[in-house]
């Protein structure tokens, strides 16, 4: 079975500082995709960043970057220069290319403090 | 207009009532999904459909049914609602040819069963 684990239910960070959210997953597949989604209080699910498993280079989107360790099945999200608008629930997700059935972690609630 | 529209946005219903949640999309995507979100559990897949004639159960389909009325419409029904079906429900779509690009989500339906 494919599972996604986020071991940090809640985290907080001071504005302008850096924070890292952890995610591990379990799969026997070789071709898959990994995602981080943000859910602000508006409850909309917003794609933050994505990573293709066959790419060794870590994905980066402005202040958001990932540390993808395929052998360790780890996919952490680093947020640099945290802003108040980054306050949200963050979900790590995993999708196998063959069936596109996306599995989600339980989420990490991030609070950015002024 | 939103790419993926869910109605209603919020709903309170009584135990034993039948209720339908609706989802329509303008993305032209073949694949559509229904998830439910519960605190501490993340999003879990209820049903998914890869085209109008293809309906598949997800990991928590008991107590739910779906109908894919057209490529653009995918509705979720609770035949006899019970309180533990109180949750936030999301519809999502994806494109077969861009399966590494994640899902497009609706804005969610918050359902409360009393």
């Amino acid at each position: 079975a494919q599972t996604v684990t986020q071991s940090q239910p809640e985290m907080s960070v001071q504005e302008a500082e850096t924070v890292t959210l952890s995610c591990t997953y379990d799969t026997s597949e070789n071709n898959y995709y990994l995602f981080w989604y943000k859910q602000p209080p508006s409850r909309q699910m917003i794609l933050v960043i994505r990573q293709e498993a066959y790419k060794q280079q870590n994905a980066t989107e402005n202040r958001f970057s990932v540390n993808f360790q395929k052998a360790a099945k780890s996919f952490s999200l680093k947020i640099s220069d945290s802003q108040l608008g980054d306050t949200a629930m963050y979900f790590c997700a995993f999708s196998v290319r063959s069936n596109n059935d996306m599995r989600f972690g339980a989420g990490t609630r991030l609070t950015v403090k002024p | 207009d939103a790419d993926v529209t869910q109605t209603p946005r919020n709903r309170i219903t009584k135990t034993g009532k039948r209720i339908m949640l609706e989802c329509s999309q303008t993305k032209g995507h073949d694949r559509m999904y229904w998830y439910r979100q519960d605190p501490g559990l993340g999003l879990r897949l209820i049903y998914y459909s890869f085209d109008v004639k293809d309906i598949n159960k997800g990991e928590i389909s008991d107590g739910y049914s779906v109908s894919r009325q057209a490529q653009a419409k995918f509705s979720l029904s609770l035949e006899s609602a019970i309180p533990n079906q109180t949750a936030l429900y999301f519809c999502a779509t994806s494109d077969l040819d861009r399966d590494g690009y994640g899902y497009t989500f609706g804005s969610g339906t918050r359902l409360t069963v009393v």
Side-chain angles (χ1 to χ4, degrees):
Chain A
Q2 288 138 5
T3 59
V4 181
T5 302
Q6 293 179 249
S7 59
Q8 306 150 314
E10 296 187 9
M11 294 189 72
S12 64
V13 63
Q14 292 296 132
E15 194 175 8
E17 295 190 346
T18 296
V19 63
T20 299
L21 280 58
S22 301
C23 174
T24 59
Y25 59 94
D26 187 25
T27 183
S28 58
E29 298 283 342
N30 199 40
N31 291 322
Y32 54 88
Y33 306 97
L34 294 158
F35 307 88
W36 279 98
Y37 280 90
K38 170 185 177 181
Q39 186 182 48
S42 68
R43 81 192 192 200
Q44 185 67 45
M45 294 288 285
I46 302 166
L47 179 64
V48 174
I49 198 165
R50 54 183 287 274
Q51 174 82 40
E52 293 160 319
Y54 66 86
K55 289 187 177 179
Q56 293 186 344
Q57 186 174 5
N58 289 323
T60 299
E61 290 286 344
N62 300 314
R63 297 183 295 108
F64 299 88
S65 61
V66 299
N67 183 6
F68 174 47
Q69 301 289 328
K70 190 172 183 179
K73 296 180 181 174
S74 172
F75 183 62
S76 60
L77 174 69
K78 185 171 82 171
I79 305 174
S80 303
D81 186 25
S82 297
Q83 301 176 359
L84 296 178
D86 295 335
T87 291
M89 180 73 82
Y90 287 82
F91 292 101
C92 179
F94 165 95
S95 173
V96 176
R97 194 177 192 282
S98 59
N99 64 17
N100 204 28
D101 172 6
M102 192 176 293
R103 299 297 174 112
F104 290 80
T108 296
R109 185 174 299 281
L110 176 67
T111 302
V112 180
K113 298 179 178 180
Chain B
D1 287 345
D3 293 327
V4 181
T5 302
Q6 289 185 238
T7 56
R9 180 167 174 79
N10 299 289
R11 179 75 182 267
I12 300 173
T13 193
K14 293 183 177 181
T15 297
K17 292 290 188 180
R18 184 179 189 275
I19 183 169
M20 179 181 290
L21 309 183
E22 298 187 350
C23 177
S24 62
Q25 54 121 341
T26 58
K27 298 286 288 185
H29 289 169
D30 290 319
R31 300 179 171 186
M32 298 187 74
Y33 310 81
W34 277 104
Y35 283 84
R36 66 176 279 175
Q37 179 183 348
D38 297 279
L41 296 177
L43 281 74
R44 293 179 293 163
L45 183 63
I46 306 172
Y47 270 96
Y48 61 104
S49 170
F50 285 177
D51 65 40
V52 175
K53 296 182 180 179
D54 179 73
I55 303 289
N56 304 279
K57 292 183 177 181
E59 60 180 312
I60 54 163
S61 60
D62 287 349
Y64 301 94
S65 63
V66 292
S67 173
R68 184 83 182 266
Q69 301 95 325
Q71 188 207 32
K73 297 189 175 185
F74 191 39
S75 59
L76 175 72
S77 294
L78 287 67
E79 298 301 326
S80 179
I82 56 176
N84 77 358
Q85 290 177 315
T86 292
L88 181 58
Y89 290 85
F90 282 102
C91 176
T93 72
S94 70
D95 185 347
L96 172 62
D97 293 330
R98 292 165 61 87
D99 60 359
Y101 287 82
Y103 292 177
T104 301
F105 284 88
S107 57
T109 293
R110 184 168 297 284
L111 177 66
T112 303
V113 183
V114 298

